[in-house]
Amino acid sequence: MLKKYLYIFIFACILEYAAYGKSNISIESLPNKALSFIKETYPNIYIEKIKFNKGIYDVKLVNDVKISFTQDGIWIKIDSYYNKIPENILPDTIVNYIHSNMNEYRIIDIEKSGEVYKILFSNGITLKIVSDGSVLYRSIK
């Protein structure tokens, strides 16, 4: 009886490993636009893992930053796990707003949908802002 459960457990582990492995892809499969973005934004930081699911590339860097890209290689989300996200990826109008109003905090998470950016800062404040600098929402901490 114990042997039967052991075989079931081993079989389940093999299936889990096989399913996990299929979603990983090689660096050559990543769109050139995405590779260029990573090289420019995070120079000297290597790619640890790439997954492709439902038309989205999820890239994990060795510094634990996770970046999601569309099939065309356009970034749509960056989760930095408390590493600072470089401001140069944002439009100048948004950077100017941040420097004027939020300069003492680090950007740790960004989601982009068209011209709208949802930005999470190290102090927990969330800012939803349009690329022209118009603030749609700002949480109060």
Side-chain angles (χ1 to χ4, degrees), residues 6-67:
L6 181 62
Y7 285 129
I8 292 172
F9 176 75
I10 291 171
F11 182 72
C13 289
I14 290 170
L15 284 178
E16 178 70 24
Y17 179 77
Y20 183 78
K22 287 181 183 176
S23 63
N24 289 334
I25 62 169
S26 69
I27 197 167
E28 292 82 21
S29 301
L30 199 60
N32 286 333
K33 198 172 197 176
L35 280 172
S36 296
F37 176 85
I38 293 167
K39 287 178 185 175
E40 291 170 12
T41 309
Y42 294 97
N44 304 318
I45 305 295
Y46 299 103
I47 294 173
E48 181 177 317
K49 186 186 305 183
I50 304 170
K51 289 186 177 185
F52 184 74
N53 189 21
K54 297 180 182 177
I56 302 294
Y57 292 94
D58 290 314
V59 179
K60 182 179 179 192
L61 305 179
V62 294
N63 65 349
D64 287 330
V65 170
K66 292 181 182 176
I67 309 170

Side-chain angles (χ1 to χ4, degrees), residues 2-126:
L2 184 60
K3 222 178 199 183
K4 180 181 174 183
Y5 288 116
L6 181 62
Y7 285 129
I8 292 172
F9 176 75
I10 291 171
F11 182 72
C13 289
I14 290 170
L15 284 178
E16 178 70 24
Y17 179 77
Y20 183 78
K22 287 181 183 176
S23 63
N24 289 334
I25 62 169
S26 69
I27 197 167
E28 292 82 21
S29 301
L30 199 60
N32 286 333
K33 198 172 197 176
L35 280 172
S36 296
F37 176 85
I38 293 167
K39 287 178 185 175
E40 291 170 12
T41 309
Y42 294 97
N44 304 318
I45 305 295
Y46 299 103
I47 294 173
E48 181 177 317
K49 186 186 305 183
I50 304 170
K51 289 186 177 185
F52 184 74
N53 189 21
K54 297 180 182 177
I56 302 294
Y57 292 94
D58 290 314
V59 179
K60 182 179 179 192
L61 305 179
V62 294
N63 65 349
D64 287 330
V65 170
K66 292 181 182 176
I67 309 170
S68 297
F69 296 95
T70 64
Q71 286 181 306
D72 299 326
I74 298 168
W75 73 270
I76 54 173
K77 182 172 178 24
I78 302 174
D79 186 348
S80 72
Y81 286 100
Y82 295 94
N83 294 310
K84 183 177 181 180
I85 295 175
E87 294 175 345
N88 65 341
I89 64 168
L90 296 170
D92 290 339
T93 50
I94 295 177
V95 172
N96 291 339
Y97 178 87
I98 291 169
H99 285 183
S100 297
N101 300 284
M102 311 282 295
N103 198 33
E104 64 272 16
Y105 308 113
R106 293 185 325 269
I107 299 170
I108 59 170
D109 190 278
I110 302 177
E111 290 182 42
K112 180 173 69 166
S113 179
E115 298 293 315
V116 178
Y117 295 78
K118 183 179 175 185
I119 304 169
L120 177 64
F121 292 88
S122 57
N123 66 343
I125 290 178
T126 300

